[in-house]
Amino acid sequence: MPQLNWKHHTLIQSLLSRGPLTSNEFHKTFENVTGKNPGIYEKLFNDYLLNINNELAFAQIELRACRNQYDGRIYYGVVNNVADEHSKLSTKYSVPQIAFYKGIIEAIVQEAAGHGCITNMDALHIKLDNQVPSGSQPQSGSQSQDVPAALRNFSLSQKEKTLEELVRDGWLSRVNGSIGLGVRSFLDLRSWFRNNEIPACEVCNEAGVKAESCPNDSCTIRIHKYCLAKKFSQKKAQKVCPGCNGPWPYVVAKAEAVDDEDDSNEPIEERPSDVPQPRKRRGFQSNTQDSDIAGPSSSQAARLRRSSRFR
């Protein structure tokens, strides 16, 4: 098993000290540390990530990539592989704060329309009675007496303060004035999404927390907005639901339209950074955010996700 050198340690430390980084930020850090552009030296980049995860596995920690479902951008972060939320948050948050966070994420993922958020007022009125720690569930009709006092007495002002802390720390986020999941939740809660049978996106198979639902009310298919763009942007792509085959109204913007022959799955050869890479003509090169979504970053994130599934 290869040992980590100072370059590996610097990459880990950059994520620990700065929190989750966008793919552009992390790729820039990698290039500054190694002198290699990860978009060109993709195999080297992936080898670094695999070596880091091999060494960190004994501590149940890993470096992982995820996509923020609200803006479609790819992020990298160091996460705790222990499955329960208490282990992930207990170093900073109290039991009532963790119960409050758990109540919020349950309310968000259970929102049937797939908007991926709840109002600020709904978040503050989350009841903690149902968030009793394992092993202390009420056994009688006097549930209020069986709920720990710390949960019963968690005040509205404490909830407001906790909500701000969770947003600041990246566990939650503010989405158009509402409360949604933060990047750290998307990074850390992948196994929780699966274990709680959160509907998955039909295209990428990740939890469809913020996703579009099939127009057919009897169909349960969900697809992320950025996955819809990828699926339907091909010129000859049929705009139908992959589940019920019903029509899926989707207007392809000119900036999204691409030729049927897509080069996103082609392997990237290792070349010296001063050698330009040939590119096929594409109609999708619009804004800076999309540089996080298409091309090498996406394939690298997919490989990292496959190598870092929960056991």
Side-chain angles (χ1 to χ4, degrees):
M1 182 180 296
Q3 293 185 346
L4 305 186
N5 57 35
W6 70 269
K7 296 179 182 179
H8 297 90
H9 296 158
T10 302
L11 292 174
I12 297 171
Q13 189 59 42
S14 69
L15 293 173
L16 290 174
S17 61
R18 298 169 61 190
L21 300 176
T22 66
S23 59
N24 279 348
E25 293 170 332
F26 188 61
H27 288 174
K28 186 63 176 178
T29 300
F30 181 87
E31 185 173 1
N32 290 338
V33 170
T34 65
K36 305 293 185 181
N37 184 327
I40 299 172
Y41 295 91
E42 185 181 16
K43 184 177 184 304
L44 177 67
F45 178 76
N46 291 330
D47 286 345
Y48 262 77
L49 302 188
L50 289 173
N51 290 340
I52 287 173
N53 282 340
N54 286 337
E55 290 293 324
L56 294 181
F58 78 96
Q60 293 185 294
I61 297 172
E62 71 180 17
L63 193 158
R64 182 182 296 170
C66 79
R67 199 181 284 269
N68 184 339
Q69 297 187 18
Y70 302 101
D71 62 18
R73 304 175 76 183
I74 295 173
Y75 286 79
Y76 290 84
V78 174
V79 303
N80 183 345
N81 262 345
V82 179
D84 63 279
E85 295 81 23
H86 286 271
S87 298
K88 298 175 186 298
L89 294 121
S90 59
T91 55
K92 178 176 180 179
Y93 294 96
S94 65
V95 170
Q97 288 178 313
I98 295 172
F100 180 52
Y101 166 73
K102 186 177 179 182
I104 290 176
I105 62 173
E106 288 180 352
I108 290 173
V109 300
Q110 290 171 4
E111 192 272 318
H115 294 153
C117 57
I118 58 175
T119 67
N120 193 80
M121 188 64 66
D122 286 341
L124 292 176
H125 284 84
I126 293 289
K127 293 184 178 181
L128 307 188
D129 297 14
N130 297 327
Q131 306 301 330
V132 179
S134 300
S136 57
Q137 294 289 344
Q139 300 296 323
S140 64
S142 57
Q143 293 187 8
S144 61
Q145 296 180 1
D146 292 322
V147 176
L151 301 187
R152 288 201 314 270
N153 300 329
F154 200 58
S155 67
L156 184 62
S157 62
Q158 289 175 304
K159 289 181 178 179
E160 290 177 335
K161 181 180 178 181
T162 300
L163 195 59
E164 293 304 318
E165 289 184 29
L166 290 167
V167 170
R168 185 178 63 247
D169 293 343
W171 293 103
L172 297 176
S173 64
R174 295 200 177 274
V175 184
N176 298 324
S178 298
I179 301 299
L181 298 187
V183 172
R184 294 185 69 178
S185 290
F186 286 121
L187 280 167
D188 275 86
L189 299 184
R190 185 179 297 154
S191 66
W192 187 90
F193 293 145
R194 294 196 188 101
N195 293 338
N196 287 272
E197 299 182 348
I198 306 306
C201 169
E202 186 71 13
V203 174
C204 70
N205 203 36
E206 292 293 334
V209 177
K210 170 69 169 112
E212 304 287 330
S213 298
C214 175
N216 182 354
D217 292 337
S218 62
C219 181
T220 60
I221 294 294
R222 285 187 181 185
I223 303 179
H224 299 124
K225 185 176 181 179
Y226 45 84
C227 290
L228 275 174
K230 179 179 179 181
K231 180 177 179 63
F232 292 154
S233 60
Q234 302 294 329
K235 287 184 177 179
K236 296 182 181 180
Q238 288 186 306
K239 311 302 187 296
V240 297
C241 173
C244 66
N245 289 320
W248 194 308
Y250 182 85
V251 178
V252 179
K254 287 185 177 180
E256 291 179 353
V258 298
D259 295 332
D260 291 332
E261 190 176 3
D262 191 345
D263 63 340
S264 61
N265 292 323
E266 291 185 359
I268 298 177
E269 301 292 338
E270 286 205 11
R271 302 183 182 91
S273 58
D274 58 346
V275 177
Q277 297 184 61
R279 296 183 61 85
K280 296 184 180 180
R281 293 183 61 188
R282 302 181 61 169
F284 178 58
Q285 287 292 336
S286 55
N287 56 40
T288 54
Q289 177 177 314
D290 291 326
S291 64
D292 279 341
I293 302 174
S297 299
S298 179
S299 62
Q300 290 159 356
R303 288 194 182 97
L304 184 56
R305 286 197 299 269
R306 287 195 294 269
S307 69
S308 60
R309 298 285 186 185
F310 276 106
R311 276 64 174 179

